[in-house]
Amino acid sequence: MAKDVTDSKGGPAHVAIIMDGNGRWAQQRGRPRLFGHHAGAKRVREIVAACPDLGVKYLTIFAFSTENWKRTQSEVAGLMRLFRRYIEREAMALIEDGVRVRFIGDRIKLDEKLVSLMDNLELATAHNDKVHLTIALNYGGRDEVTRAAQLMALEIEQGRLSHKEVDAETLSRFLDTRFLPDPDLVIRTSGEARISNFLLWQSAYAEYEFVDTLWPDFTAGEFGEILAGFGGRERRFGAATV
Ligand code: FPP
């Protein structure tokens, strides 16, 4: 897909967000970390709803990384419960609001009930086109590229692909994100300036914005301000200025 999908208003058409800071937000209030994740889920609803007016056609959010399994068993279980509940509770609104939902990441480690909710939501929203919401769940950039390489190797082994056809374009077709344009802008909340294995391949030419706000405090207003600032940036995709 074309690299530059900047929307007609000059804003980024594909925004990816690392939603960080839920735990600290809860700790500041003397509450358990899961309280912060629940508050974070409410912000997801607000940010998705804001996308059409802000000209954001694709929103990709990092919900759970391949490294997040290292958290305590109770936090992991609570997050998985939250994802199931989010899908159950939000499905109808997402369908009606024209949001197409897709999931990226390895589903193999996720429980059956969650995977079936994910499959059903993808199917139920398959004809929507207003906003494309992609939720990264058990996602890691290196894991994704590794799985893509394995799939490609299998195709070569089975004689359906020649090693001579292996280039960046071909590899992109084996990634979880094959249906997505590359992100124009990656935002990370909570003051950390890291990309933490998120969309490593796809963000080669993305702009980055690191904000101090903790995710549960990140409003549609702040989102809009960041996007307005993006309008003025010059993106050259490696080319020189004249
Ligand atoms: C990072 O904050 C956040 C996560 C690992 C989970 C992200 C999940 C949500 C925002 C909940 C809802 C998502 C969906 C799709 C319904 P952290 O716990 O690492 O915060 P900390 O750095 O302050 O500890």
Side-chain angles (χ1 to χ4, degrees):
M1 209 178 269
K3 246 196 183 109
D4 189 358
V5 290
T6 306
D7 83 327
S8 54
K9 297 173 204 159
H14 183 182
V15 180
I17 307 183
I18 302 173
M19 309 179 288
D20 196 14
N22 295 347
R24 273 163 286 167
W25 186 89
Q27 272 155 11
Q28 284 171 2
R29 286 158 181 78
R31 304 293 299 268
R33 296 176 58 81
L34 273 169
F35 181 69
H37 294 315
H38 282 267
K42 289 196 190 117
R43 285 298 176 197
V44 170
R45 186 185 307 156
E46 178 182 334
I47 298 303
V48 174
C51 284
D53 281 347
L54 295 172
V56 175
K57 185 83 178 174
Y58 297 90
L59 178 72
T60 301
I61 54 175
F62 207 178
F64 193 88
S65 78
T66 45
E67 287 72 39
N68 285 152
W69 299 104
K70 294 180 201 145
R71 296 188 174 203
T72 63
Q73 200 263 332
S74 80
E75 185 173 353
V76 170
L79 274 167
M80 294 300 152
R81 248 191 335 268
L82 173 61
F83 299 141
R84 288 197 297 270
R85 240 173 63 179
Y86 173 83
I87 296 175
E88 282 165 348
R89 291 193 178 167
E90 298 292 314
M92 205 41 86
L94 291 163
I95 295 166
E96 284 170 4
D97 292 346
V99 181
R100 178 163 194 182
V101 184
R102 280 180 283 208
F103 294 88
I104 55 171
D106 193 353
R107 299 182 188 203
I108 207 95
K109 269 176 95 175
L110 302 175
D111 80 62
E112 245 175 71
K113 165 86 177 147
L114 176 58
V115 173
S116 117
L117 286 166
M118 289 158 62
D119 287 341
N120 290 339
L121 186 60
E122 284 187 335
L123 264 175
T125 61
H127 298 294
N128 284 350
D129 186 43
K130 202 164 173 191
V131 177
H132 292 240
L133 171 65
T134 303
I135 303 176
L137 233 174
N138 192 27
Y139 175 87
R142 287 185 173 178
D143 178 68
E144 179 193 32
V145 174
T146 307
R147 285 186 288 106
Q150 281 170 356
L151 286 173
M152 238 170 26
L154 188 67
E155 296 268 297
I156 293 170
E157 206 173 277
Q158 295 175 343
R160 290 198 295 266
L161 186 74
S162 155
H163 74 276
K164 290 182 189 140
E165 293 172 87
V166 177
D167 56 14
E169 179 72 34
T170 305
L171 193 132
S172 294
R173 286 196 278 109
F174 288 88
L175 294 172
D176 297 350
T177 52
R178 56 190 156 272
F179 52 84
L180 277 180
D182 287 343
D184 304 287
L185 174 66
V186 180
I187 299 172
R188 181 177 188 140
T189 57
S190 95
E192 313 281 350
R194 288 192 298 273
I195 58 168
S196 299
N197 208 5
F198 189 42
L199 300 176
L200 293 180
W201 174 276
Q202 300 85 343
S203 299
Y205 292 100
E207 298 281 334
Y208 284 91
E209 187 75 33
F210 300 101
V211 296
D212 287 337
T213 313
L214 303 177
W215 175 253
D217 290 328
F218 189 77
T219 61
E222 185 170 0
F223 189 35
E225 279 166 29
I226 293 172
L227 300 187
F230 179 91
R233 298 192 196 180
E234 189 197 357
R235 299 176 72 210
R236 298 195 298 272
F237 301 97
T241 38
V242 277

